[in-house]
Amino acid sequence: MSPKDSKRNDAYNQLEAGSKRATPIQHQRAAEIQPFGKVTRMPIALDEKTRAASAENLNQLLADTMTLRDMYKKHHWQVAGHTFYQLHLLFDKHHEEQDELVDEIAERIQLLGAISLAMAADVAETTMIPRPPRGREEVPVQISRLLEAHELILKEARTMAKQASEAGDDGTNDLLVSNVIRTNELQVWFLAEHLVDVPVVRADEKAAASAGH
Ligand SMILES: [Fe+2]
């Protein structure tokens, strides 16, 4: 260290002196205040068994919804072909709507006294949606993957809605029916119509005749 450097360090030390209480305390760790899978007591007039069962279902749905949300962004970025513009926009719109569902599901898990999954690695371990390749795929393949993910979510959401209703957890039932099921059904319609094989410019008279019309 040159005499000049040492002089500079002394100057910095002098500047820091007296500011200790205002200095951020970094690199702290401590035991978790609630382990994953445990529920706290929450005064919402639902017993802990009901809240734990609803939370477990909702965490599965959360992992699948986060995966579908991220698949929409993947396809938003990677879409190719003459329908690029409309699909680029549609995929992003559905991504936004799925992201809202993610927040609603996660916050319901927390208000039930449980812990919502959050990090990508935990989501990847939990989701039942098959992992798509990293590379780009054609539009019909992208849409097929999305439709299959939607149907998996719709199937589990309907089962979970029934279970929540039977257990008296009306709030979870309402979230599943009014938000998750209704949103996913509508998105399926907007996707599925893209896989109907109709001509873009010239009507296919031969196809109509062979279909008996
Ligand atoms: Fe974008």
Side-chain angles (χ1 to χ4, degrees):
M1 194 182 279
S2 72
K4 206 177 163 191
D5 283 346
S6 138
K7 213 173 170 189
R8 190 178 294 156
N9 273 357
D10 288 347
Y12 277 129
N13 289 341
Q14 270 178 23
L15 284 172
E16 283 186 5
S19 66
K20 201 173 174 195
R21 287 188 62 212
T23 302
I25 305 160
Q26 296 185 83
H27 311 301
Q28 303 194 59
R29 297 285 187 280
E32 296 170 339
I33 60 169
Q34 181 184 354
F36 185 79
K38 298 281 181 187
V39 290
T40 59
R41 200 167 300 147
M42 201 59 88
I44 55 171
L46 282 176
D47 63 59
E48 64 175 13
K49 251 187 170 170
T50 302
R51 291 186 289 109
S54 287
E56 196 183 343
N57 275 346
L58 289 175
N59 259 324
Q60 181 60 54
L61 183 71
L62 179 63
D64 295 329
T65 303
M66 287 168 99
T67 304
L68 176 59
R69 173 199 64 185
D70 294 348
M71 203 197 293
Y72 266 115
K73 207 60 159 178
K74 168 178 165 65
H75 292 343
H76 164 75
W77 293 325
Q78 299 178 356
V79 63
H82 73 280
T83 53
F84 171 86
Y85 186 60
Q86 68 168 85
L87 287 178
H88 181 68
L89 298 183
L90 180 70
F91 289 161
D92 216 24
K93 180 175 183 284
H94 285 193
H95 170 275
E96 293 291 309
E97 291 166 1
Q98 290 293 332
D99 198 40
E100 275 174 36
L101 289 179
V102 163
D103 202 43
E104 287 165 2
I105 297 165
E107 288 180 358
R108 174 133 200 109
I109 294 167
Q110 293 293 142
L111 77 79
L112 288 168
I115 301 174
S116 48
L117 288 174
M119 300 306 289
D122 299 319
V123 172
E125 275 177 11
T126 309
T127 186
M128 293 188 301
I129 295 171
R131 181 181 177 170
R134 289 190 184 186
R136 295 172 85 185
E137 294 184 295
E138 296 172 11
V139 165
V141 180
Q142 290 183 319
I143 295 179
S144 295
R145 286 191 191 282
L146 291 167
L147 285 173
E148 287 157 19
H150 275 295
E151 193 159 32
L152 186 148
I153 286 171
L154 280 165
K155 202 171 173 192
E156 71 184 353
R158 287 211 187 89
T159 305
M160 292 171 186
K162 211 163 285 167
Q163 288 169 350
S165 168
E166 282 164 8
D169 185 353
D170 298 329
T172 295
N173 173 269
D174 181 50
L175 172 68
L176 290 165
V177 175
S178 306
N179 301 51
V180 176
I181 293 174
R182 297 288 292 274
T183 301
N184 277 275
E185 284 176 341
L186 192 67
Q187 292 189 351
V188 165
W189 179 40
F190 272 78
L191 287 182
E193 292 299 333
H194 286 87
L195 294 187
V196 178
D197 193 9
V198 288
V200 177
V201 175
R202 195 181 291 266
D204 189 350
E205 291 175 50
K206 273 185 196 158
S210 69
H213 296 293

